[in-house]
Each structure stands twice: as C-alpha cells, then as structure tokens.
Amino acid sequence: MQPEKYSFKTEVNQLLDLMIHSLYSHKEVSIREIISNASDAIDKARYESLTNPEIIVPKEGWKIRIAADRDAGTLTISDNGTGMARQEAVEALGTIAHSGTKEFIAALKQKNMENSPDLIGQFGVGFYSSFMIADKVTLISRKAAAKDDAGIKWESTADGSFFVEDTVKTSPGTDVILHIKQDEKKYLDEWQIRDVVSRYSDYIEYPILMDIVREEDSALEKGKKVPIRKEEQINSGKAIWLRDKADIPETEYHEFYKHISRDFADPLKVIHYRAEGTSEFTCLLYIPSHAPLDIFYKEFRIGPSLYVRKVQIMDHCEELIPPYLRFIKGIVDSSDLPLNVSREILQNNRQVTVMKNNITKKVLDTLGDMKKNDSEAFRTFSREFGRVLKEGIHYDFAKKETIADLLLFSSTASGGVAARTLEEYVAGMKEDQSDIYYMTGSSLRDMADSPYLEAFRAKGYEVLFMTDDIDDLIFSGFEYKGRKFKSVLKGDITLEQTAEKSGTGAEFDQLRDFMKTVLKDDVKDVRISGRLKDSPCCIVGDEDDIDPRMEKMLKAMGQEVPVRKNVLEINPGHPIFASMKDLFEKDNAVSLLEEYSRLLLDQALLLAGERPKDPARFSRYLSHLMVEEAKHASHPDKA
Ligand code: ADP
C-alpha cells in the first residue's frame, strides 16, 4: 500500500519551524524527550498488563534501547511499551495536545527567538524537539496488544506533512529513528550519548541499554583484535523516590522533575518524604518555579501521579491534592492501595483522604518554612502561584487562616512591591482601627492614586491593593484573627476624623435631595461621604453588592448580571458644594445645577475606572467650562 500523506496542524508547523531554526544551546534535550516518551509508553503497557491478559510482560523485561549507526547516520531509540496504532500516531504526532501551546508559540514569536532561544527551555515541547537534531524522523510502532506483526511507519522531514504506512514489526513497542543532521553528528558518538543519558535520564526506572562495539582480543587468533557487539546498561535505573535523600544530588532531583512535568526550568522547591502510620506512602513533590500557561484552564490536569508499589497507576491523581495546590507536580507511591485501584475507589477511599490531608499539610508547612527562611524563593512562589493558593481561603474552611498567612500583598505601606503579610498588617493597625481595609482594581498605579484612599491616608490606615479577579469573592466576608475585611469601594465607611471635620453634612440635605432626583436613573442614593478628603465625590457599592471587577468578568463570560446602581458619595468639605448650595438657595439655577450634578457623577465614574454616562455630553460640557474659565482668565476684572 502507498504511504498516506497527512498535513500537520498549523500550530505544529509553527512549532516545527521554531525547532528547526532554533539556536537553543541544549539540543541534546531532544534525546531526553524521546527517552521520556519511551518510559511513559512502558509505564502504560506495564499498567495495562495488570488487567489486560492480551498484554504480556516481555520475556526480556521492560527496556529502552539506544543504538547509533554511524554509517547510516541514525540514532534509534526503542521501547517495548504500549505502542501506537495508525490513528493514534496520526493524532499524537500531528497535533499538539497541550492547551498552552498556542500561547507558548505567540510568546516565542513576540520575544524574538534569536534573542532568547532559551524560551524553548521553558516549555516541554516533547517529540517535536527531535527536529532540532534530526532532519528526518521515522517512527515504527506496534501496539502491545497486537497479535500479529502488523505495525505502522510514521515519517516526516518536518516540511508541513508526514506519511504513515503499514509495515511489519516483529515485537511490540516503538522505534524512533532520528536521521541526524549533518552538523549534529556528535549525537552518534557513544560518549556523548552516555553523557546525555547520565545527565538527563539517569532516574528512568527502566534499564536504558546501549549497543556498543568494543575491540577485544580475538579468541581464535592470538594478538588479533576483533570488534565485539555488546549491550550495556547506561543508567542506574532505580526509582528515585525510593532512594535515600542523602544520596540524591539536587541535579538528579531536578532532572526527574523535568521528566515528569515537561518543564525545562528547575523547580523552586523539592519535597521528598516518607509517611508512616495509618497509611504508608512516599512523596516526591515539586513546587515549580513558574506557572504553566494553562494553569487557569478548565482542562488543566491536577494532581501528582499515583504509583502503587512502583507501578504507575495514573498520571494525574486529583484526589491527592486540593485544587488550590494544583501547581504541585510529582509522584506519590502508596504501599497500601491495591494495584487495581480505580477512580471510583479513589473517590471514596479513607486512605486516600488521609494521604491528601497529609500532603496538603506538608505543602503548606513547606511554604511556611520558605516564607521564614527563603524570602526570595517565597516571593517567586507568591508571584507565580499566589493567585491559585488564595482560592483555598474560599474552599478550605479549616485552613483558611494558614493560607492567608502565606499570601503577600501590595498595599499603601508596601512601597510598590507585593511583600506585605497579614501578620504585618495587623501588627501595624492603628489603635482605633478595627477592620482590615482592601481595595480592588486592575492597576496598582491607579489604585495608589485613588481618591477612595484619601481618608484612610489621613488616618494612617493601611489599605491592601488587590488586582486578581477573584479577590473580592475571596476577601469580602473573610475574617483574619477576628478582624473583618472591608472593601474601601463598598458600604458606608465612616472614618471619624473626616466626619467630624465636615460635620454631619445636614446643611446639605436639600441640595443632596435635589441631586438625587436629577440622578435617580443612575444612582440609588446620594450621601455624605466618610472616605473622601480632597476629591469632590466618588461612587461606591453597597456592602453586599457584587464587586465591579467581578461584574466585568461575569459579563465577559457572557453571564447575565442584574443591573446594579451605585451610590454617589459627596464630600461636603469640597468648595464645589458650598458654591452649589449658594446657587441652589439664592438663585435656584436649576438647569445649571442639573448639569453640575451630572458632571460630578461622570467624574466619579472616571475615578472608579469607568466611562462617563454620556461621553459626548461630558466632553461638550467640559469644553464649555474651559471656555468660560479662559474668558475669566483673560478679563479677570469682568468677573
Ligand atoms: P507528550 O509526551 O508531552 O504528550 P510528545 O509530543 O512528546 O508529547 O508526544 C506526543 C504523544 O505521542 C504522546 O503523548 C504519546 O501518546 C505519543 N508517543 C510519543 N512517543 C511514544 C512512544 N515511544 N510510544 C507510544 N506513544 C508515543
């Protein structure tokens, strides 16, 4: 049969293009990626062999083989794992499964590859990275369950398409044949391969065997050397998590991390421990040093891989960690669970709950330690994963204060960096201050200049700045050490000093009622502000109103959001209100006062980061006022 031709999906082509032209200096990682796929394929076959009698454990054991052929210019990496059928190969090696890939490619393009080839290093690009060292890749595969010799051959030169045809393969598994590029021939060298394997793939649990040729004394002719072919294991091959911590160098921990996470960057923290007691299990967990691009996607796969006595049972076991710790990568190897454990069993298993609680505590404790002893790493953590961790305040009632203690905030007192803890906030609270104040917004700069903070500044109260979409959901209603969280944007805030200074504002009652009537379609109330000092007015929500940022987010997601009216707060201490009061009482200049009322509302909206009600009208009126003022300026005596 003729080979069938298929086209790569667009994003694969883009990725291949990047690979081929990559200046990335560690191209040997492509060998690691292929070995890593081989190891995954064996994990799968080994697991399937537990339940599927058609899958037979190979007589020679589970193995990965590497053979370099200098004459042919090929490097072949073979496994006796699960293998691929035609359709699987077309799908797995013609598209990209990772949901963050599009963003990755966009990021690469934007950053200009030539200047930052290391960006490749921040992303697990898997199989396609083989085109960094090969100009043609051939893959021959046969399903572990296939009874006859029916295999498939997949081949591509990365020129937009690939070919697949039927072929004969005598044993199950996959051979990946790299036709090494002219200027990358060093990857055919035995010592180079040994070096790559010992550096990047030593932890692989299965033996990695290499075909080597040695000149040895001939048995037939004395004094003559003859080439002898041998197979030699070139990795140590013991499950890293079962080894003694003291014997594991950091680099090995890191390589193992890269293997399981498909991340190219070193992790921020390694957590390796054995739990004993009601449930016995070993954990090798990692906190990555940067957030994966898809961590906020629904499809993001949560949880470490689950092993039972060294056999991998599943890739991502979400029953083992709460979603707010979903940045954790790693493996958990249980000594007590049955090998045939299923999703259903996991969901209602007491032992699994014990493991989950234990892991949660361990991770939170580790973060606590980091906060105390390694503030730089902790800040990195906080920048990358603070947004994920804080979800726990909402979802984990028992641990919410522990979690809150692990958050870093920007605030009016933090000097522009997110470094303030709640402990510090509470310690710095003024004597007459009972609540913890926060402000939500999309930009720290805008917030820092906001009129909403005037009275807080005057009182010396610290205000936390929050820029994440979920902040209001999480913090409204939260209490930390008995202190309530209050949004400076919502509710009727009265800070004594300002109330004192401006009196109760009762003398403005009539003007206020007038404004309320004018603006009745747009605001639900006009009231005297307890939070303004210098600015004339601002809009605020009620205590139980939905946060404006939350509202925007819901709208963006296409959700119905009930129409919400704000409250307009006015600052009677501002001279505009004295003037308006005069106009109102003496001249009854109704139409002018109506215009002013609208203009004040528009200003308040602008200060809250929103649009004026009627931008055209706003602009017209502002220009009009400018003209008037200009007239006064040039003929001051006529005023
Ligand atoms: P990833 O391994 O991160 O999923 P890759 O691009 O490295 O991405 O591989 C794509 C897919 O191709 C794998 O998920 C797997 O389904 C399949 N694959 C690759 N190598 C092998 C192999 N040696 N045996 C079986 N399947 C493989």
Side-chain angles (χ1 to χ4, degrees), residues 37-38 41 44 79 84 92-93 98 126-127 174 262:
N37 282 347
K44 270 185 220 157
D79 64 71
M84 278 179 282
L93 309 174
H98 307 285
F127 175 75
T174 304
R262 302 291 148 97

Side-chain angles (χ1 to χ4, degrees), residues 78-144:
S78 310
D79 64 71
N80 51 9
T82 184
M84 278 179 282
R86 173 180 282 254
Q87 200 47 37
E88 285 172 283
V90 169
E91 266 157 38
L93 309 174
T95 55
I96 298 180
H98 307 285
S99 34
T101 310
K102 278 203 181 111
E103 286 81 349
F104 165 68
I105 292 171
L108 272 182
K109 294 211 152 146
Q110 206 181 21
K111 291 235 173 146
N112 180 359
M113 276 299 296
E114 311 245 325
N115 296 331
S116 53
D118 265 9
L119 251 185
I120 282 195
Q122 295 170 17
F123 191 79
V125 280
F127 175 75
Y128 302 110
S129 64
S130 49
F131 288 98
M132 290 199 290
I133 61 168
D135 40 29
K136 180 161 95 175
V137 177
T138 311
L139 191 136
I140 297 179
S141 193
R142 179 182 138 189
K143 288 294 281 181

Side-chain angles (χ1 to χ4, degrees), residues 41 80 88 133 144 212 244 267 283 400 436 549 582 587 627:
N80 51 9
E88 285 172 283
I133 61 168
I212 53 167
D244 200 333
C283 294
K400 58 185 180 183
I436 295 174
R549 302 200 57 230
D582 267 2
D587 306 330
V627 171

Side-chain angles (χ1 to χ4, degrees), residues 457-508:
R457 283 231 159 83
K459 293 279 286 182
Y461 291 180
E462 181 175 2
V463 177
L464 301 171
F465 294 141
M466 309 217 177
T467 50
D468 289 328
D469 47 8
I470 54 164
D471 282 329
D472 197 66
L473 182 76
I474 285 174
F475 291 105
S476 65
F478 179 53
E479 264 183 39
Y480 175 81
K481 302 208 166 132
R483 311 282 191 167
K484 280 205 185 82
F485 268 67
K486 277 207 164 158
S487 165
V488 305
L489 303 181
K490 293 201 293 194
D492 194 1
I493 284 181
T494 316
L495 303 182
E496 276 165 278
Q497 186 189 305
T498 44
E500 233 169 52
K501 199 174 134 200
S502 54
T504 56
E507 68 274 31
F508 290 92

Side-chain angles (χ1 to χ4, degrees), residues 259-270:
H259 166 61
I260 53 166
S261 67
R262 302 291 148 97
D263 186 354
F264 281 63
D266 287 339
L268 194 62
K269 187 85 194 162
V270 182

Side-chain angles (χ1 to χ4, degrees), residues 502-606:
S502 54
T504 56
E507 68 274 31
F508 290 92
D509 276 356
Q510 280 186 316
L511 176 63
R512 212 163 50 92
D513 287 343
F514 170 83
M515 290 178 71
K516 206 168 144 178
T517 317
V518 176
L519 302 173
K520 66 178 183 311
D521 291 337
D522 304 313
V523 300
K524 62 179 163 196
D525 197 8
V526 176
R527 70 178 174 224
I528 304 296
S529 182
R531 71 191 91 208
L532 294 174
K533 227 181 124 270
D534 306 314
S535 301
C537 54
C538 67
I539 51 164
V540 298
D542 267 340
E543 199 94 52
D544 47 0
D545 271 350
I546 176 172
D547 179 65
R549 302 200 57 230
M550 198 64 189
E551 184 178 25
K552 268 188 206 145
M553 185 174 86
L554 290 174
K555 278 189 184 151
M557 282 160 52
Q559 299 231 12
E560 286 268 347
V561 183
V563 182
R564 171 180 58 88
K565 280 194 197 167
N566 288 308
V567 173
L568 179 70
E569 285 195 354
I570 61 174
N571 170 12
H574 193 283
I576 181 66
F577 293 104
S579 310
M580 281 175 76
K581 188 163 165 273
D582 267 2
L583 277 173
F584 185 70
E585 283 162 5
K586 292 192 191 126
D587 306 330
N588 201 12
V590 173
S591 65
L592 192 62
L593 284 166
E594 280 177 3
E595 220 47 89
Y596 278 16
S597 302
R598 288 201 191 89
L599 201 56
L600 283 166
L601 173 63
D602 282 344
Q603 289 182 49
L605 286 166
L606 279 171

